[in-house]
Amino acid sequence: ELAPGGDYKLCITGHSMGGALATLFGFFLGAKLSQSQQTKSQEILIYTFASPRVGGESFIYAYQHLERAGLIRHARFSCTNDIVPLIPFSNLKPDDLKFYKHVGMRIQLHNTAAVGKWRLRRRLDVSYPLCHDWSSTIARGLMNCIFGNPNTPRGYKLYHTVTEYQTRLHFA
């Protein structure tokens, strides 16, 4: 919505592949606005649900630069047992291996069973990727590994739907 003085408020959202596109669109729009001095810009709000990884290490540094500049704010929601936020892992080129990374603040949505309630009683599961060294990458990889959660491939149909995300957001 554009106000008479040139101020605006923009929210971008998406689920799954739409979440990946929302992340990219928000990044490119924020980068374009950082170069333009014609309008008074407010931050662009990005809300993604079940978004796959979209960029590599240089992308995450550029994205975080726009976040620090106050141009974009990104909340990334993911359900426990949903496989889509865990992919793609890398470009699978043995001679030039690069790993994809998530951007934005992650809010992990747990299920409504007893374990999910116990985890929420302990603390809200929110994280932001600050460290990008090998040890942090390996630790995050083990924590979010599809092999560490054998329920994940079957859970695609159960845990990836918009309805499941809505239920878990209501629960949280």
Side-chain angles (χ1 to χ4, degrees), residues 83-104:
I83 192 172
V84 174
L86 305 178
I87 56 175
F89 308 111
S90 70
N91 61 359
L92 300 176
K93 293 181 182 177
D95 56 337
D96 188 28
L97 188 64
K98 293 184 176 146
F99 293 97
Y100 289 97
K101 310 224 183 254
H102 276 300
V103 292

Side-chain angles (χ1 to χ4, degrees), residues 79-156:
C79 281
T80 307
N81 301 339
D82 187 358
I83 192 172
V84 174
L86 305 178
I87 56 175
F89 308 111
S90 70
N91 61 359
L92 300 176
K93 293 181 182 177
D95 56 337
D96 188 28
L97 188 64
K98 293 184 176 146
F99 293 97
Y100 289 97
K101 310 224 183 254
H102 276 300
V103 292
M105 179 180 61
R106 180 195 73 157
I107 297 106
Q108 185 75 24
L109 301 173
H110 301 292
N111 61 18
T112 57
V115 174
K117 290 178 183 177
W118 173 78
R119 289 177 85 170
L120 274 177
R121 275 197 304 269
R122 290 183 59 223
R123 64 181 169 86
L124 188 60
D125 199 352
V126 177
S127 62
Y128 186 80
L130 292 175
C131 298
H132 308 294
D133 57 352
W134 282 100
S135 61
S136 299
T137 301
I138 290 170
R140 272 194 307 274
L142 291 174
M143 188 171 55
N144 297 321
C145 179
I146 64 169
F147 303 113
N149 187 354
N151 190 27
T152 310
R154 180 181 69 77
Y156 175 75

